[in-house]
Amino acid sequence: MSVLPIRVYPDPALKEQAAPVEQLDYNIKKLIENMGETMFAAQGVGLAAPQVGESCRVIVIYLPEKKDFSSYMALINPEIISAEGEVVAEEGCLSARNYRAQVKRAQALKVCYLNDKGAPCELTARDLLARVLQHEIDHLNGILFFERLSRIKRDLIRNRLRKLAKAAAVD
Ligand code: NI
């Protein structure tokens, strides 16, 4: 297992529509393991493949009830099949460090996906888990959390992140 570098905004990998996984082969299994490792190293609660530069529909989610390195769940080709309610809460992203904002999300949802064995599964989630799932599935569609904000707030965060990226490139 290895910790992968996390892409940060405005890396173009974050803007792509990720491709569905056609075959759960060795490379995808390896990617899932590495994504789990990378998420823990970064102390994140979720990670999507485009954040490590892989344009495929794979996400990993931290499961707080377990306390070791197996405490994550992989969802392959996840799709939201129903959603209800609305709740506003603070969110951040490993690809936009130092920025957090209040984002409106569905309160509960049902997601279908393939698990890491390739079996079709369904999951009902609410509150924090529902929020993390929506955030990570957005990544698969090239959407970052601040793009869900009002235009003024969105542009403010975008501009600051672009400046940070430029400053980092100069260093
Ligand atoms: Ni994120």
Side-chain angles (χ1 to χ4, degrees):
M1 286 194 289
S2 42
V3 172
L4 306 169
I6 295 178
R7 307 293 182 95
V8 294
Y9 185 85
D11 190 304
L14 298 169
K15 293 304 300 169
E16 275 175 46
Q17 180 79 18
V21 173
E22 304 285 352
Q23 213 180 352
L24 218 163
D25 57 14
Y26 173 81
N27 289 335
I28 295 291
K29 288 182 179 169
K30 198 83 214 154
L31 174 66
I32 289 171
E33 280 183 18
N34 289 340
M35 284 173 63
E37 180 104 349
T38 303
M39 175 175 63
F40 286 112
Q43 296 183 301
V45 291
L47 189 71
Q51 292 182 277
V52 293
E54 297 290 336
S55 187
C56 63
R57 303 187 82 79
V58 174
I59 64 176
V60 294
I61 302 286
Y62 175 58
L63 298 174
E65 58 270 22
K66 296 192 190 170
K67 288 276 181 268
D68 57 29
F69 276 77
S70 70
S71 58
Y72 69 89
M73 182 178 138
L75 293 88
I76 299 161
N77 299 341
E79 247 177 82
I80 295 171
I81 46 182
S82 66
E84 62 182 57
E86 247 180 35
V87 59
V88 177
E90 197 181 63
E91 246 173 74
C93 180
L94 296 174
S95 294
R97 284 226 182 237
N98 306 320
Y99 284 93
R100 304 187 68 81
Q102 300 284 325
V103 185
K104 193 200 288 177
R105 300 280 189 187
Q107 198 249 332
L109 42 82
K110 204 179 267 186
V111 173
C112 65
Y113 63 99
L114 301 176
N115 69 11
D116 57 358
K117 309 273 186 298
C121 300
E122 238 180 63
L123 170 76
T124 305
R126 30 192 342 107
D127 303 320
L128 179 62
L129 182 57
R131 174 168 298 272
V132 175
L133 285 166
Q134 289 169 87
H135 177 114
E136 301 310 331
I137 292 171
D138 266 358
H139 273 303
L140 302 181
N141 297 319
I143 300 166
L144 284 122
F145 76 98
F146 53 81
E147 292 170 310
R148 293 273 181 206
L149 304 174
S150 71
R151 191 170 156 194
I152 292 172
K153 287 182 192 159
R154 185 188 67 202
D155 289 348
L156 189 76
I157 294 183
R158 259 188 194 156
N159 291 339
R160 284 185 186 158
L161 286 169
R162 286 201 179 115
K163 271 184 200 148
L164 272 180
K166 262 189 203 149
V170 169
D171 280 350

